[in-house]
Amino acid sequence: MTRDRSADDSDDLELTIDQFHDACQQVGRPMLTADGIARTLDRSQDAVSDELEALVDRGDLESFSVTADPIVWYPANLEDLTEQERIVVFPKRREIVVDQPTQFTRAQLSQFAHLADANGKQGYRYVVRPEDVWQAPHEAFDDLARTMRQALGQRSEPLEEWVRSQWDRAHQFQLTTHEDGYTVLEAKTPEVMGNVARQKLDEEHVHAPISDTEDWVREGAAAAIKRILYEAGYPVQDHRDLDSGELLDVDLAVSLRDYQQTWVDRFAEAGEGVFVGPPGSGKTVAAMGAMAEVGGETLVLVPSRDLARQWAETIEEYTNLGPHQIGQYHGGQKHVRPVTIATYQIAGMDRHRSLFDDREWGLVIFDECQHVPSDVYRRSTHLQSQHRLGLSASPIREDDRQTEIFTLVGPPIGTDWQALFDAGFVAEPELEIRYVPWGDDQQRNAYASADGRERYRIAAKNHGKIDEVRYLLRDHHDAKALVFVDYLEQGRELAEALDGPFLSGETPHHERRRLLEEFRRDERDLLVVSRVGDEGIDLPTADLAIVASGLGGSRRQGTQRAGRTMRPAGGALVYVLATRGTREEEFARRQLQHLGRKGMTVREQTRGQVGSNETADSDN
């Protein structure tokens, strides 16, 4: 494995093959003279010539004589210039750019850096953020520094210095349990207690000081303290002695994939966390691995009763637990058992809250945990448990409150999407934005005279999209297809035009189950689905997804809909329809650029008329 030196390192060591490759890249030639490499690296020609000979002796370079210059130098294996793994570090920006990274490198980087962009042609761009350092799965900073050096193939002192400062911040405060049973906030020094905690917290959170470095914590205020200090840049280590409830022996009926086992191991080390991975990566199964690891009574919180039912069925299928050990608590039924699946809304209601408070859970699982920061859902994070685990394909929020997810639940744990694509665990769907002309002049004129939200609604319900959907379904006649809409009226029109069912929030629960099972068993190859399919139900995977409307929604919604085609078999397609010349074009690019940064291929195409190409724009 060969690697680049840091872009900020000075050239005060002997010449390496990595520097030679870097010089070749800069001048755009695979061969260099001693004078050429000396100028490129700002070194003396005499010193460079001796070091080039040393590289020849080691077998890294070869040379030959020409008339214009005594010697020309080139790599012993010219393929190294294009196929080698190359890493460049930018400490001031805390960015790492990687070309041709190996699985090992990506796995190491994911422990302390965030994958910001993944483009196979332009490389991978990682950013080291404070929260990435705070959640690094290491007991000591030296262990983290060793991981960084293994990933980068070098030591970047400026970057390590910044990472150490963030590591120190993450170990300034801890919550502990006093021998008398109450909770204590403890600071590392009197200075940080006085200048940070006692400036940020008030009587709602802590009692009078116990000492210069300790404060009593008011009952129920621990979560608020963690959030406030986290926002101040000081995450709190939670070392309270929480009861785990009754023991529960959970055995998995399936083997975890290697990356799922890694997620579970990191969760076990931290005691909390958020599994972050694309749809189809098996977060639910990994969560059951966490249940087995904890071995205690478990509460699973979900957005809807449909998901509660699906969780109950999945737990029964993949573990040794029987129906008498699995309960559901929502509007349809109310049973509290060793493993209970409840909706967020029910768990947050005062009249039901005591049922969950009276039981000391070993583990609370927050499914679709990107909702947790919202006012309705966050009350559920106050439930007492020894461990907490979140699941999310895309822990982002349009209100930029995503950091609260990790404050309230735990640090992010996951594998970058591109690594799962490359390993074949999850299929990489092809995404294409198709710009559709207006279906009739009446809608076009209505759009021109409307403004605000009404304009968006008219563009979303463009009748021209019905013909476009028909064309795509004909073009992929063997595919199982999901068609997504945001408007009930549009969904009914599409379902009627396509002679297929429309699944929405108005569809009775028994009818939803029947339609989904038929689709899952290949007895039905088309469903038109409203927003209820984004997160409220567990849709089966499909070969083809068509987003007819919904482009004004969140980036998370785009992720969920694209994710309905992700499965190991591959070959899936996602088409996003946007009315040409409207703001839908901007919304489409915003949603799909987010997916493009995760490593998916995104194309754009404008169609003059249904069934014929007008122009093929550009790949994102």
Side-chain angles (χ1 to χ4, degrees), residues 359-380:
R359 209 176 188 101
E360 295 171 329
W361 303 97
L363 172 65
V364 176
I365 297 175
F366 302 86
D367 195 12
E368 305 290 359
C369 68
Q370 61 273 3
H371 295 296
V372 161
S374 69
D375 295 336
V376 174
Y377 286 20
R378 71 184 300 134
R379 290 193 64 187
S380 62

Side-chain angles (χ1 to χ4, degrees), residues 68 113 132 266 376 411 482 567 595 612:
D132 300 316
R266 289 180 61 182
V376 174
L482 295 171
R567 67 208 190 290
L595 294 172
S612 63

Side-chain angles (χ1 to χ4, degrees), residues 29-45:
R29 296 195 303 272
M31 302 178 184
L32 290 174
T33 64
D35 179 60
I37 193 169
R39 289 198 309 271
T40 303
L41 299 179
D42 195 21
R43 301 279 300 279
S44 71
Q45 183 173 344

Side-chain angles (χ1 to χ4, degrees), residues 374-392:
S374 69
D375 295 336
V376 174
Y377 286 20
R378 71 184 300 134
R379 290 193 64 187
S380 62
T381 63
H382 299 160
L383 294 170
Q384 181 169 312
S385 66
Q386 186 176 23
H387 304 281
R388 54 185 59 212
L389 173 66
L391 308 179
S392 180

Side-chain angles (χ1 to χ4, degrees), residues 78 98 113 158 199 215 330 348 359 383 386 398 434 439-440 475 495 497 518 538 571 620:
L78 282 175
V98 193
Q199 296 295 321
D215 278 357
H330 47 68
R359 209 176 188 101
L383 294 170
Q386 186 176 23
E398 303 306 307
R434 298 174 78 87
D440 58 57
D475 199 36
E518 290 175 355
D538 185 16
N620 264 359

Side-chain angles (χ1 to χ4, degrees), residues 125-297:
R125 183 173 68 90
Y126 288 83
V127 179
V128 185
R129 307 168 302 179
E131 57 264 35
D132 300 316
V133 178
W134 298 345
Q135 63 90 27
H138 297 286
E139 293 293 329
F141 174 75
D142 288 344
D143 297 330
L144 172 57
R146 188 178 304 112
T147 296
M148 292 177 61
R149 293 166 196 168
Q150 287 175 344
L152 304 179
Q154 59 185 292
R155 180 175 182 176
S156 175
E157 291 189 5
L159 181 60
E160 280 192 22
E161 183 179 344
W162 182 85
V163 169
R164 179 185 286 276
S165 71
Q166 294 302 317
W167 177 272
D168 290 341
R169 274 180 169 261
H171 294 80
Q172 293 297 316
F173 292 102
Q174 63 175 342
L175 290 170
T176 60
T177 301
H178 190 272
E179 60 183 11
D180 292 334
Y182 55 81
T183 300
V184 174
L185 175 66
E186 183 178 346
K188 197 169 185 179
T189 65
E191 289 75 20
V192 75
M193 175 62 86
N195 295 332
V196 179
R198 289 173 182 161
Q199 296 295 321
K200 299 290 183 180
L201 305 176
D202 54 34
E203 282 297 315
E204 291 182 37
H205 310 110
V206 293
H207 294 281
I210 302 172
S211 69
D212 289 344
T213 58
E214 297 172 302
D215 278 357
W216 288 355
V217 174
R218 287 193 179 277
E219 186 175 353
I225 290 172
K226 291 168 70 174
R227 176 179 57 80
I228 292 169
L229 293 182
Y230 187 100
E231 291 173 350
Y234 291 88
V236 178
Q237 304 290 310
D238 195 340
H239 298 306
R240 289 176 292 167
D241 298 329
L242 297 177
D243 294 327
S244 59
E246 297 296 324
L247 296 178
L248 184 66
D249 186 19
V250 180
D251 292 326
L252 285 181
V254 294
S255 298
L256 296 178
R257 297 167 178 168
D258 289 344
Y259 69 86
Q260 291 171 322
Q261 187 61 57
T262 300
W263 292 356
V264 173
D265 292 343
R266 289 180 61 182
F267 163 78
E269 288 180 15
E272 59 185 14
V274 177
F275 288 168
V276 180
S281 58
K283 295 183 293 296
T284 302
V285 173
M288 288 180 230
M291 289 172 56
E293 184 72 32
V294 171
E297 296 183 349

Side-chain angles (χ1 to χ4, degrees), residues 503 512-520 527 539-540:
L503 196 155
R512 287 192 208 177
R513 288 197 295 271
R514 182 182 65 81
L515 292 172
L516 292 172
E517 280 304 312
E518 290 175 355
F519 192 89
R520 191 174 282 112
L527 286 177
L539 284 175

